Amino acid sequence: MTETIKIAGAGISGLTAAINLAKNGYDVTVYEKDKSFTRDNICAVRNYDLTEDALEEFGKFGVELRPQSKVNKVIKFSPTQSIEEHSKKTIFYIFERGPNKNSIENQLYRQAKDLDVKISMGEPVNEKDVDIVATGGRRMDIFAYGHIYSELDTSKDTAYIIYDNLYAPKGYIYILTANGRTVIVSVSFDRKKFRYLPVNFSIFLRKNNVIRDLVGREEPVNKISGFGNYDIVKNAKEEGRYHVGERGFFMDASKGFGIRYAVITGHLASESIAKNLDYNKLWKRVLKEELDRNFKRRILLNRFANKDYDLMLKKIGGRVDIEAYIKETRKLKKHIDLFFPLYAWKWKLGKKISI
């Protein structure tokens, strides 16, 4: 008799788990509370510091994903400085999210349906009744707000990142273009200022010279928002249920990336079930070092003022290869490692560490 696996959440991690389990002969049902994929956005998957190309890595973890565009140049701004990073290697792969035909969710949906995975859209389920929980973040540690425009006058192979604590507290603003659309999104890691982000974003559009010239009189076709969470993860399996993606706090704490971790943990949960392996040991072997490193960077970045962003870009300077930028940021490692125990202790005072 074929074993049945139930999954809560038809996002990236849930569908990745479903695809891999179906390939291993399981009867899989995915329950999604929303009737359609509503999370409209354009997002980046980092590729610049990986030892293996991100798309090849996705294939290794059981899914085939096709990006809408590739970024080979990043222009970064702080209040007084700017730099241009370039690379022969793809720096970011750009994907659409949400309802569009070729969004990540719809690509995975089609792959799952081809494997006879049952996907019940618009049907919520009690998490206690499933095997894998892939229902997204539990709390708001990161908040993003922005606009989608018909394609603005930007290059598809270029991403723009703006550091300014006035408009993106402890975070950044990014601009990406794909499939005839451009997004401008402010990402904040300062929980005390989340409520002001939409208002400050509107001010930013009017006052920032780069953005004002870019947007002109264009009106957004959509306004978007979202949140994420991160933590010092210790346990991602609770009462026999596997927590994957953001539900397990698997997110890049330094920059807010989550797509890659969603794919990896979805695959690892399926591998744990299919091969009767310890899920916590699996994800710790594959991800723990990277997650801890990103968390340490976030602790440091939370202390950055605008003058620190100015200094960082000034030290990197002008037009550089992305490898030079990575080398420069790694010089911060000794400082982070020295003070991390103190910063982590302060973080733990107000956070629940394990899930």
Side-chain angles (χ1 to χ4, degrees):
M1 183 177 178
T2 303
E3 185 176 351
T4 298
I5 299 294
K6 296 180 180 180
I7 300 173
I12 296 170
S13 56
L15 290 174
T16 298
I19 289 166
N20 281 282
L21 285 164
K23 288 179 179 179
N24 279 283
Y26 288 85
D27 181 16
V28 185
T29 300
V30 180
Y31 300 91
E32 171 55 51
K33 64 180 179 63
D34 294 325
K35 294 182 179 180
S36 62
F37 300 120
T38 58
R39 189 178 179 178
D40 193 14
N41 200 355
I42 297 173
C43 297
V45 172
R46 85 177 200 275
N47 191 60
Y48 56 87
D49 62 345
L50 301 182
T51 56
E52 183 177 11
D53 184 87
L55 300 185
E56 294 177 2
E57 185 181 51
F58 288 156
K60 185 176 71 176
F61 289 121
V63 296
E64 301 297 327
L65 293 174
R66 295 183 179 181
Q68 275 68 56
S69 61
K70 303 175 183 179
V71 165
N72 296 99
K73 181 169 67 175
V74 179
I75 300 177
K76 294 183 176 180
F77 301 89
S78 66
T80 67
Q81 303 291 323
S82 66
I83 64 170
E84 178 182 311
E85 298 168 352
H86 59 91
S87 177
K88 294 179 181 179
K89 175 183 178 180
T90 298
I91 299 174
F92 295 115
Y93 287 109
I94 308 303
F95 290 90
E96 287 189 293
R97 302 290 306 274
N100 296 297
K101 178 181 178 181
N102 291 316
S103 70
I104 286 186
E105 289 85 354
N106 276 313
Q107 289 187 53
L108 293 173
Y109 180 90
R110 290 191 292 271
Q111 291 175 50
K113 294 297 286 186
D114 287 344
L115 292 166
D116 295 324
V117 172
K118 302 177 184 67
I119 304 176
S120 299
M121 302 296 291
E123 187 174 343
V125 64
N126 191 319
E127 292 181 3
K128 294 182 179 180
D129 297 328
V130 303
D131 303 285
I132 297 175
V133 184
T135 50
R138 301 186 182 205
R139 64 172 188 242
M140 191 181 293
D141 297 320
I142 308 168
F143 179 54
Y145 179 86
H147 291 172
I148 299 178
Y149 296 87
S150 296
E151 188 170 329
L152 300 175
D153 187 19
T154 60
S155 176
K156 294 179 182 178
D157 70 348
T158 302
Y160 302 82
I161 298 175
I162 300 168
Y163 300 108
D164 192 324
N165 276 332
L166 182 61
Y167 304 114
K170 300 180 182 178
Y172 55 89
I173 293 165
Y174 70 83
I175 305 171
L176 299 172
T177 296
N179 200 23
R181 303 193 304 164
T182 299
V183 294
I184 305 175
V185 177
S186 178
V187 181
S188 174
F189 290 76
D190 189 343
R191 299 177 71 184
K192 294 179 180 179
K193 297 182 179 179
F194 286 169
R195 69 177 68 181
Y196 308 114
L197 198 63
V199 172
N200 287 338
F201 181 80
S202 297
I203 297 172
F204 167 77
L205 293 178
R206 296 196 305 269
K207 290 194 172 184
N208 183 274
N209 292 333
V210 175
I211 300 301
R212 190 172 61 241
D213 294 342
L214 182 64
V215 174
R217 295 182 178 275
E218 288 287 331
E219 292 293 326
V221 297
N222 197 6
K223 297 179 181 180
I224 56 176
S225 63
F227 71 94
N229 58 200
Y230 61 92
D231 213 324
I232 306 172
V233 186
K234 289 187 176 180
N235 175 36
K237 188 177 180 183
E238 184 181 79
E239 297 179 354
R241 290 183 292 277
Y242 301 79
H243 293 257
V244 296
E246 289 185 45
R247 185 64 181 180
F249 292 100
F250 293 109
M251 177 167 271
D252 179 347
S254 66
K255 301 179 180 67
F257 296 127
I259 292 173
R260 180 169 164 267
Y261 295 143
V263 169
I264 293 173
T265 55
H267 167 81
L268 293 178
S270 69
E271 185 177 33
S272 175
I273 292 171
K275 298 181 180 180
N276 194 28
L277 300 174
D278 187 312
Y279 177 51
N280 282 318
K281 287 184 178 179
L282 280 178
W283 72 256
K284 286 177 182 178
R285 186 182 72 231
V286 176
L287 291 176
K288 181 171 173 51
E289 182 179 350
E290 184 177 330
L291 289 169
D292 287 351
R293 182 172 65 247
N294 292 334
F295 188 89
K296 292 176 182 180
R297 288 174 178 166
R298 170 46 46 195
I299 294 296
L300 178 64
L301 289 169
N302 280 348
R303 302 174 67 85
F304 264 42
N306 279 350
K307 64 180 181 180
D308 298 307
Y309 291 121
D310 286 335
L311 179 61
M312 179 179 72
L313 297 194
K314 185 177 181 179
K315 287 187 68 176
I316 296 170
R319 187 175 187 271
V320 297
D321 188 276
I322 191 70
E323 295 299 325
Y325 171 71
I326 294 172
K327 183 178 180 180
E328 186 68 28
T329 57
R330 283 175 179 165
K331 292 179 181 179
L332 298 172
K333 184 177 184 299
K334 290 183 179 179
H335 172 89
I336 297 172
D337 288 344
L338 178 63
F339 290 99
F340 178 66
L342 172 63
Y343 296 154
W345 176 76
K346 291 174 65 177
W347 172 268
K348 291 178 184 179
L349 288 179
K351 301 290 182 182
K352 182 180 179 183
I353 302 306
S354 61
I355 62 176

